[in-house]
């Protein structure tokens, strides 16, 4: 904004751009750029005719109308500097031009219509897409496509686009086509009037139905477990001090200890107090020590109370084999102990769903018995509404059309018995990086460069940090977009695959981040 030559100005934001700026800067950063006041575009504001205003907003009819109202009949500000998050449709641009052109000093589209939640994670359109007979599906997919294009533009990537075939709802195909067409238009001409060619990047679009298991399981890595079991709102964790008082801590990338611990298994994190006390290499983390020790203790309390009992059954149902590698021949025998134990209703629903997913759907008679056993006759949508995502709940003669993703054998990998499941998306990431994705299953919406193999050479002098895009500029990028939400365990996979293949950066994005309970509520509400 400082490039506008503005000092002491008002910044006016809509709801989305407020979240966007909050995710990447503080008020002190804005003040250093001459921003003295931040206002909400859609609220009543007092006129300040002696000051200039920067408008940072989405190019929607609601935002444009609110902007025009600020200058008709009498201008609230001395001048307007307008920045749109992405492409502004011609009709809205013409409307602004017609009504208040003389007040607009700058009008730019800056292509940043996405939320960078973490270094390798970009993110609510769930109900608009999956609600039966929704009138907003096409418009929502169009909006998502625009956001993906602005991400690619920000990364200066023109990727080849692929999608998962055979999705029951076919949204991946539709979104891939929209994104590819919009990318082609966006890169038709660059600043030198030359057409930009494809870069060394792939964009894969997948639907939530590809893996319904991962967002339902009890995950035992630090971040995923915390957001599942602890009431963390807007990344704020409330914990108790020794004197009994309460304090809040923000769990984000500015907390270096959080970044170091978030993908570790809880069994490793529980050694934290000893590590921090004994290891002199950790003095920079000491201020956060109390927060994360408290969080680890909270999580272990939940684990020992009831989660440990659930995890064995959940893992057996998800993996299809027990810890010794013996195949689960009768999933109902695995499920029954969970149903007979006094677990809370949500945990029983999660176990029932894993049972159904393991069978690729069950009979109507069996499903009714399960619903009655969990005592959710009036709330059966928690289970039945998964069909709206394209996930089979009832087995039918046409079930052959729904094929489960073949899994990699990871039995030789050292792991915890209560954490044997690996998200399906990690298999996909690894196959994509190694150029092993089958074209019949992952057709190209547009071709990637023929030399793309996910392992371009990287300078030996290049220091790899894993979470910094600048470190990987001479490598290639794999961008995945999950339609319908991404779980914390799937987010972790992007970091893991990047670390394992240091010449390829994996970036994962979605409509929103899932927690098991939040996803169940979203699904329950689909027919409301």
């Amino acid at each position: 904004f400082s490039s506008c030559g503005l000092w002491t100005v008002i910044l006016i934001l809509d709801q989305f751009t407020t979240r966007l700026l909050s995710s990447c800067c503080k008020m002190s950063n804005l003040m250093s750029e001459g921003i003295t006041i931040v206002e909400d575009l859609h609220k009543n504001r007092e006129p300040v005719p002696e000051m200039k205003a920067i408008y940072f907003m989405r190019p929607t009819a609601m935002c444009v109308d609110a902007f025009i109202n600020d200058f008709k009949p009498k201008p609230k500000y001395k001048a307007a500097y307008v920045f749109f998050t992405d492409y502004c449709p011609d009709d809205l641009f013409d409307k602004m031009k017609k009504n208040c052109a003389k007040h607009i000093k700058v009008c730019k589209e800056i292509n940043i219509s996405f939320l960078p939640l973490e270094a390798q994670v970009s993110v609510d359109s769930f109900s608009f897409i999956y609600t039966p007979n929704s009138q907003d599906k096409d418009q929502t997919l169009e909006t998502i496509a625009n956001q993906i294009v602005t991400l690619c533009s920000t990364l200066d990537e023109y990727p080849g686009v692929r999608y998962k075939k055979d999705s029951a709802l076919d949204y991946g195909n539709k979104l891939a086509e929209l994104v590819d067409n919009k990318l082609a238009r966006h890169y038709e001409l660059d600043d030198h009037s030359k057409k930009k060619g494809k870069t060394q990047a792939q964009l894969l679009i997948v639907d939530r139905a590809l893996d319904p298991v991962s967002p339902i399981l009890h995950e035992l890595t630090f971040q995923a477990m915390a957001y599942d079991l602890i009431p963390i709102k807007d990344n704020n964790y409330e914990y108790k001090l020794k004197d009994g008082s309460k304090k809040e801590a923000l769990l984000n990338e500015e907390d270096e200890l959080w970044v170091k611990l978030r993908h570790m298994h809880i069994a490793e994190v529980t050694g934290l107090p000893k590590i921090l006390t004994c290891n002199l290499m950790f003095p920079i983390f000491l201020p956060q020590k109390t927060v994360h020790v408290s969080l680890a203790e909270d999580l272990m309390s939940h684990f020992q109370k009831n989660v440990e009992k659930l995890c064995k059954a959940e893992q057996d149902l998800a993996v299809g084999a027990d810890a010794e590698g013996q195949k689960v021949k009768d999933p109902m025998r695995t499920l029954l102990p969970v149903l007979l134990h006094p677990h809370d209703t949500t945990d029983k629903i999660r176990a029932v769903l894993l049972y159904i997913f393991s069978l690729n759907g069950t009979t109507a008679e069996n499903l009714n018995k399960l619903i009655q056993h969990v005592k959710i006759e009036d709330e059966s949508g928690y289970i039945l509404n998964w069909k709206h995502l394209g996930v089979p709940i009832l087995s039918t003669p046409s079930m052959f059309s729904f094929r489960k993703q073949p899994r990699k054998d990871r039995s030789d990998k050292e792991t915890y018995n209560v954490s044997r499941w690996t998200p399906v998306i990690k298999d996909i990431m690894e196959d994509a990086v190694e150029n092993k994705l089958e074209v019949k299953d992952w057709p190209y919406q547009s071709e990637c460069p023929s030399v793309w193999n996910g392992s371009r050479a990287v300078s030996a002098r290049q220091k790899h940090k894993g979470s910094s895009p600048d470190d990987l500029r001479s490598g290639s990028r794999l961008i995945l977009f999950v339609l319908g939400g991404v779980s914390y365990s799937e987010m972790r996979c992007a970091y893991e695959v990047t670390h394992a293949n240091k010449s390829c950066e994996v970036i994962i994005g979605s409509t929103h981040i899932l927690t098991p309970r939040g996803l169940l509520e979203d699904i329950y509400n689909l027919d409301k």
Side-chain angles (χ1 to χ4, degrees):
F1 296 142
S2 59
S3 61
C4 304
L6 298 175
W7 294 102
T8 348
V9 296
I10 296 173
L11 176 61
I12 299 172
L13 307 171
D14 63 21
Q15 187 179 20
F16 176 80
T17 51
T18 299
R19 290 174 62 207
L20 195 160
L21 276 187
S22 299
S23 72
C24 54
C25 69
K26 298 178 180 178
M27 189 63 197
S28 57
N29 301 128
L30 296 175
M31 290 183 71
S32 67
E33 298 292 338
I35 306 294
T36 55
I37 303 171
V38 179
E39 297 266 29
D40 187 325
L41 174 65
H42 299 293
K43 290 184 178 177
N44 290 327
R45 288 166 273 114
E46 290 296 319
V48 192
E50 69 277 9
M51 292 185 74
K52 299 172 182 177
I54 294 175
Y55 287 80
F56 183 32
M57 59 190 185
R58 300 185 82 173
T60 65
M62 185 181 295
C63 289
V64 168
D65 286 345
F67 168 77
I68 291 171
N69 288 338
D70 280 356
F71 292 90
K72 286 188 70 176
K74 188 176 180 180
K76 284 185 177 179
Y77 309 109
K78 185 177 181 180
Y81 294 74
V82 181
F83 295 86
F84 287 118
T85 54
D86 53 270
Y87 173 76
C88 180
D90 291 343
D91 58 329
L92 295 180
F93 183 82
D94 291 341
K95 191 174 184 180
M96 287 174 58
K97 184 178 176 182
K98 178 182 177 181
N99 285 282
C100 44
K102 66 179 182 180
H103 301 292
I104 301 173
K105 300 301 180 185
V106 170
C107 186
K108 287 186 177 181
E109 298 156 339
I110 60 175
N111 291 313
I112 189 168
S113 184
F114 60 91
L115 292 172
L117 297 181
E118 291 182 12
Q120 287 173 230
V121 182
S122 173
V123 286
D124 171 44
S125 48
F126 188 86
S127 60
F128 289 150
I129 296 171
Y130 295 111
T131 295
N133 305 315
S134 169
Q135 303 300 308
D136 300 299
K137 283 185 174 70
D138 291 342
Q139 183 56 51
T140 302
L141 290 173
E142 187 93 20
T143 300
I144 292 170
N146 286 333
Q147 292 175 317
I148 294 173
V149 170
T150 65
L151 170 71
C152 293
S153 174
T154 301
L155 296 173
D156 195 26
E157 295 285 15
Y158 186 2
V161 182
R162 302 177 75 173
Y163 62 94
K164 182 68 174 75
K165 196 178 178 182
D166 294 333
S167 168
L169 303 177
D170 208 27
Y171 292 148
N173 186 1
K174 293 176 184 175
L175 184 58
E177 184 177 0
L178 280 170
V179 170
D180 198 53
N181 290 338
K182 289 175 182 293
L183 279 169
R185 287 199 299 271
H186 180 78
Y187 283 123
E188 192 170 25
L189 293 174
D190 65 10
D191 293 338
H192 305 289
S193 299
K194 293 180 181 178
K195 190 173 181 179
K196 183 180 178 72
K198 293 280 187 180
T199 57
Q200 297 292 330
Q202 276 198 70
L203 169 63
L204 302 183
I205 294 176
V206 301
D207 194 278
R208 183 64 269 164
L210 180 78
D211 176 9
V213 171
S214 293
I216 292 298
L217 278 174
H218 278 88
E219 241 279 336
L220 300 182
T221 47
F222 200 38
Q223 181 185 42
M225 195 176 182
Y227 281 84
D228 183 5
L229 303 178
I230 307 293
I232 296 172
K233 187 175 181 181
D234 297 327
N235 298 328
N236 281 299
Y237 165 59
E238 186 178 85
Y239 63 103
K240 282 186 178 180
L241 299 174
K242 288 183 179 180
D243 62 6
S245 61
K246 292 183 178 180
K247 194 173 181 180
E248 281 194 347
L250 191 60
L251 304 176
N252 62 15
E253 297 217 326
E254 292 185 15
D255 181 341
E256 294 181 61
L257 186 54
W258 171 247
V259 172
K260 187 174 183 66
L261 297 173
R262 64 187 174 191
H263 297 147
M264 290 170 62
H265 196 276
I266 189 64
E268 299 165 333
V269 178
T270 49
L272 176 66
K274 185 177 179 181
I275 293 171
L276 290 179
T277 305
C278 301
N279 195 327
L280 297 178
M281 294 178 65
F282 282 81
I284 60 169
F285 295 143
L286 290 179
Q288 293 93 28
K289 172 187 168 184
T290 304
V291 175
H292 299 296
V293 168
S294 175
L295 181 54
E297 289 172 349
D298 274 0
L299 295 178
M300 281 307 297
S301 174
H302 282 278
F303 179 75
Q304 292 163 353
K305 184 178 179 182
N306 65 344
V307 173
E308 185 175 11
K309 294 184 181 72
L310 288 163
C311 281
K312 183 186 182 304
E314 289 184 355
Q315 291 292 313
D316 289 357
L317 289 169
V319 177
D322 63 20
E324 286 72 44
Q326 296 297 311
K327 185 177 180 181
V328 174
K329 295 179 181 178
D330 184 1
M332 181 57 77
R333 290 185 66 179
T334 305
L335 175 65
L336 271 177
V338 176
L339 299 184
L340 296 173
H341 191 277
H343 293 296
D344 74 25
T345 301
T346 300
D347 286 334
K348 291 185 178 183
I349 291 171
R350 290 165 72 169
V352 167
L353 284 167
L354 291 171
Y355 164 81
I356 294 170
F357 298 158
S358 73
L359 297 172
N360 232 17
T362 188
T363 64
E365 181 183 5
N366 194 28
L367 181 59
N368 287 334
K369 287 180 180 177
L370 290 169
I371 287 171
Q372 289 168 16
H373 199 101
V374 183
K375 299 178 181 176
I376 54 168
E377 292 92 335
D378 296 330
E379 298 168 310
S380 58
Y382 283 116
I383 294 174
L384 298 178
N385 285 355
W386 283 83
K387 65 186 178 185
H388 300 314
L389 275 67
V391 177
I393 296 300
L394 288 172
S395 53
T396 66
S398 62
M399 285 313 299
F400 68 88
S401 63
F402 185 90
R403 293 188 297 119
K404 282 189 177 181
Q405 181 78 12
R407 300 311 314 272
K408 286 190 174 187
D409 181 7
R410 300 179 188 268
S411 56
D412 60 332
K413 299 281 191 339
E414 189 176 329
T415 186
Y416 298 93
N417 287 343
V418 287
S419 300
R420 288 171 283 128
W421 171 262
T422 299
V424 173
I425 209 159
K426 187 171 185 179
D427 291 356
I428 293 167
M429 291 173 181
E430 291 175 343
D431 284 347
V433 166
E434 296 166 14
N435 208 21
K436 291 181 179 177
L437 287 181
E438 294 283 350
V439 176
K440 63 181 176 63
D441 296 324
W442 294 87
Y444 292 94
Q445 184 66 41
S446 63
E447 288 284 351
C448 304
S450 58
V451 296
W452 198 93
N453 63 6
S455 57
R456 293 176 64 206
V458 179
S459 167
R461 293 173 296 177
Q462 189 178 45
K463 184 179 179 183
H464 178 73
K465 296 178 184 175
S467 62
S468 172
D470 291 337
D471 297 330
L472 292 150
R473 289 200 183 280
S474 62
S476 52
R477 280 194 176 105
L478 174 64
I479 305 167
L480 288 99
F481 185 83
V482 186
L483 191 62
V486 64
S487 68
Y488 283 99
S489 59
E490 291 167 325
M491 288 163 52
R492 185 189 73 246
C493 292
Y495 294 88
E496 291 173 346
V497 176
T498 296
H499 280 288
N501 301 273
K502 298 189 188 304
S503 60
C504 180
E505 181 185 31
V506 181
I507 297 174
I508 190 167
S510 187
T511 47
H512 59 303
I513 295 178
L514 301 173
T515 61
R517 291 172 187 269
L519 175 59
L520 288 177
E521 289 302 321
D522 287 342
I523 285 173
Y524 175 72
N525 288 318
L526 283 178
D527 58 4
K528 298 293 180 291

